[in-house]
Amino acid sequence: MSKHDVEMELAQLNIAKARGEMDEPLMKEFVDNLESVNAMAESSEGFIWRLKDESGDATAIQAFDDPLLLVNMSVWQSPDALKGFMYMTHHISFMKRKKEWFEKLTQANYVLWWVPKGHIPDVEEGKLRLEHLREHGESPYAFSFKSRFEPSDLVITKIA
């Protein structure tokens, strides 16, 4: 199978360590804006999917032992679509204020990777990609915006 036979989409996982529980006053403004920021993502050009629970966001999804470690995942048509949402919408004003709500992490806090069109990654897949990036650095398997690997950089093999 040629790598060009499969259309690919961009998956992303990012984590953040909250400075407090979601119901604490410190986190109120962040929590109060989740719904509008998530709606903005969903209406952005190139958006495909995002991780959420019954409440409509992912803040209650405990992917790590530390309950203050929040996880966010989404799938986009391209890196440019994801960057467009991140930097060209009201989302940027919240990114600029992240120090108010989140602690600085010492290791990579996000990872990008290519998935076949229509594939919805689960949290475990995202955690594996983040751990791979942390341990091995940038590669077509797990990367950041610093090393924009393209789907054509992947080696896809057909399993008989």
Side-chain angles (χ1 to χ4, degrees):
M1 172 182 274
S2 161
K3 57 190 165 195
H4 302 291
D5 293 341
V6 178
E7 284 188 65
M8 304 297 277
E9 297 169 334
L10 185 75
Q12 73 83 25
L13 171 134
N14 69 75
I15 60 172
K17 182 162 181 164
R19 292 190 176 275
E21 299 287 337
M22 293 298 105
D23 60 355
E24 290 182 27
L26 169 70
M27 300 301 293
K28 182 174 179 13
E29 192 173 2
F30 171 78
V31 171
D32 287 351
N33 283 281
L34 273 174
E35 190 174 328
S36 65
V37 171
N38 287 334
M40 191 182 321
E42 290 179 349
S43 66
S44 292
E45 186 174 338
F47 171 85
I48 295 167
W49 169 87
R50 71 177 176 86
L51 179 68
K52 58 184 172 182
D53 64 13
E54 307 78 37
S55 71
D57 67 58
T59 56
I61 296 172
Q62 190 168 341
F64 299 91
D65 292 338
D66 184 343
L68 295 179
L69 206 51
L70 306 181
V71 63
N72 176 296
M73 286 181 67
S74 55
V75 176
W76 297 80
Q77 289 177 346
S78 70
D80 289 338
L82 174 55
K83 277 185 146 180
F85 161 67
M86 291 173 61
Y87 300 112
M88 306 303 265
T89 67
H90 187 52
H91 178 266
I92 186 70
S93 63
F94 291 96
M95 285 181 54
K96 288 178 179 176
R97 297 178 58 199
K98 66 184 176 185
K99 290 178 185 174
E100 294 177 36
W101 304 302
F102 302 103
E103 294 181 20
K104 183 169 177 54
L105 298 177
T106 58
Q107 292 183 292
N109 69 324
Y110 79 95
V111 64
L112 307 171
W113 72 100
W114 293 104
V115 296
K117 186 175 183 174
H119 173 72
I120 300 300
D122 62 23
V123 173
E124 288 306 311
E125 180 180 342
K127 287 171 62 176
L128 286 171
R129 300 287 179 143
L130 181 61
E131 192 60 37
H132 190 274
L133 176 65
R134 287 175 167 182
E135 290 180 12
H136 305 286
E138 308 267 335
S139 71
Y141 181 80
F143 55 97
S144 73
F145 283 119
K146 294 176 207 151
S147 301
R148 269 189 55 178
F149 288 97
E150 295 297 326
S152 58
D153 297 318
L154 293 169
V155 176
I156 299 174
T157 56
K158 184 176 181 180
I159 300 172

